[in-house]
């Protein structure tokens, strides 16, 4: 079963959550396990047969709508009762309230609950270095190797979704790997502010100060949100001084350089400028392709290079969006049960981005034919004379001739044959098409897929 990526499942849950009450969501959806996609159907693991029935009756349509919003043309969802052991893993520590009882108000978060941990994916190994980010990367690496000595603070700024948090966490991972006993604290400016407010309210300022002033590495995200918050600035100023004086490393991220953060106290601004200020720009095309490739490998998705290239051309600025686009294409192809191709990718992205004109390439056709005839592309291009292989090869040549501008000799060369073989293949397929309905249906389906047209009615 092909695992549907966590991002897609999060999108589905996000959609569901907007359409039902919080109590319903926590009661029914929080314990559901995403088991992946099988034969175009999203399979969800539920706790017992009662839940299975409840989902079928009450949430099937909602889930289908969620999938449709992600590009599934004929969304299908099925439910499986999980074995008891897996079920136990899914049970929240406190049983959820029954649907009719309003959820108790969540208690105000404490320091520990507010604390964020490092994202395991955000390491140096998983960070693609390109001309857009090589200075920030080099500075982060230098800081990771000599914390508190190289550049303190390190101030990284850049637009949304370009890898600032990733680099900060990478330094944290690096430090913890080498010195597991060190204390690393990652906090968003918002959480820092909330912690401060809670500490003041609960009369726990000593704990607050101990927590932030006893770390070896402090990572603070989105520091631009300090703007206009005098009390938080004041407290952060003292935290900063305490750490700095003790040669502890501080890394700050922001969407703009310190000089552009309005209403930031002069003494803080000047401290932010003591170390190194470095920026991250939008990635170039080659870096975008490399990031997609790494992402696909990370998620064990086998996706042709030309499809990654199409995505990289479509999404040009934000890396989070770039990754989202890849997941959208993966979801689209899983949910519609069609192999990856440029046409499929263009279609998957057309709801979100301006539609792209996709020129069909010979390789696209070969891959689609290979998937349809259930044999590897190399076999089709090889010299095998088995009847099924010969037929697939002829269909591929026929469709390439129809759907691309390539000449007969070019097609011949692609298959390691001469143009007369291609001519023969074309007339053979044309002749069989009238007589063999199975072949005709297969060619029609392939043609529609290559053109990125809907194939709802043909697959069913
Ligand atoms: N150079 C890179 N190589 C691989 N992945 C990257 C790279 N840069 C960013 N990413 C990925 O892009 C996504 C967004 O990155 P990140 O959250 O670090 O951005 P950010 O700049 O902190 O954004 P924001 O301003 O919204 O906090 C993450 O999934 C991250 O792993």
């Amino acid at each position: 079963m092909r695992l549907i990526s966590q991002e897609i499942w999060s999108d589905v849950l996000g959609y569901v959550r907007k359409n039902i009450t919080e109590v319903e969501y926590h009661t029914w959806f929080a314990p559901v396990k995403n088991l992946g996609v099988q034969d175009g159907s999203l399979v969800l693991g539920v706790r017992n047969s009662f839940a299975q029935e409840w989902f079928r009756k009450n949430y099937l349509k909602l889930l289908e709508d969620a999938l449709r919003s992600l590009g599934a043309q004929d969304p299908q969802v099925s439910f499986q009762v999980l074995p008891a052991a897996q079920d136990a893993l899914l049970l929240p520590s406190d049983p959820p309230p029954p649907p009719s009882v309003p959820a108790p108000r969540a208690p105000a978060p404490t320091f520990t609950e507010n604390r964020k941990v490092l994202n395991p994916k955000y390491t140096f190994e998983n960070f693609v270095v390109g001309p857009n980010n090589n200075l920030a990367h080099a500075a982060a690496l230098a800081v990771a190797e000599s914390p508190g000595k190289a550049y303190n603070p390190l101030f990284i700024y850049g637009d949304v979704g370009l890898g600032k948090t990733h680099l900060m966490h990478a330094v944290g991972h690096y430090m913890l790997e080498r010195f597991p006993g060190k204390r690393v604290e990652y906090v968003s400016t918002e959480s820092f502010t909330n912690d401060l407010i809670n500490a003041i309210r609960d009369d726990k300022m000593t704990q607050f100060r101990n927590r932030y002033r006893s770390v070896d590495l402090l990572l603070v995200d989105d520091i631009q949100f300090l703007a206009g918050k005098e009390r938080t600035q004041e407290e952060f100023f003292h935290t900063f001084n305490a750490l700095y004086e003790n040669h502890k490393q501080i890394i700050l991220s922001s969407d703009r350089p310190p000089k552009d953060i309005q209403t930031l106290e002069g003494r803080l601004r000047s401290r932010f400028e003591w170390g190194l200020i470095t920026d991250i720009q939008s990635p170039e095309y080659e870096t975008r392709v490399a990031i997609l490739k790494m992402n696909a490998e990370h998620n064990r998705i086998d996706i042709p290079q030309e499809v990654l290239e199409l995505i990289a051309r479509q999404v040009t600025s934000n890396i989070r969006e770039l990754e989202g686009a890849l997941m959208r294409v993966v979801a689209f192809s899983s949910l519609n049960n069609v192999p990856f191709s440029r046409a499929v990718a263009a279609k998957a992205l057309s709801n979100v981005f301006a539609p792209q004109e996709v020129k069909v390439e010979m390789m696209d056709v070969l891959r689609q034919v290979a998937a349809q005839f259930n044999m590897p592309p190399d076999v089709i291009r090889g010299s095998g004379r088995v009847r099924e292989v010969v037929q697939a090869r002829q269909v591929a040549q026929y469709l390439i001739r129809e759907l691309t501008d390539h000449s007969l000799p070019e097609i011949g060369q692609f298959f390691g044959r001469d143009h007369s073989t291609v001519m023969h293949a074309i007339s053979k397929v044309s002749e069989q098409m009238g007589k063999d309905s199975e072949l005709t249906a297969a060619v029609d389906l392939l043609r529609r897929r290559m053109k990125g047209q809907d194939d709802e009615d043909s697959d069913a």
Side-chain angles (χ1 to χ4, degrees), residues 119 121-122 126-130 132-133 158-167 221-222 224 253-255 280 287 291 294-295 318-320 323:
N119 185 326
K121 184 196 142 201
Y122 293 178
N126 289 342
F127 191 84
V128 175
V129 184
N132 62 313
N133 59 24
D159 279 343
V160 169
L162 293 183
K164 303 181 291 294
T165 309
H166 188 138
L167 266 187
D221 225 341
D222 293 324
Q224 75 274 7
S253 90
S254 167
D255 65 353
I280 302 188
T287 311
I291 290 174
M294 200 192 61
N295 244 279
N318 180 329
I319 298 173
R320 195 173 294 120
E323 294 177 341

Side-chain angles (χ1 to χ4, degrees), residues 6 37 109 147 158 174 176 200 204 243 304 309 347 394 398 415:
Q6 216 35 51
V37 174
Y174 192 94
L176 287 175
I200 296 170
K204 288 190 173 154
L243 292 174
E309 288 171 3
K347 177 96 181 143
Q394 289 175 338
Y398 172 89
F415 285 88

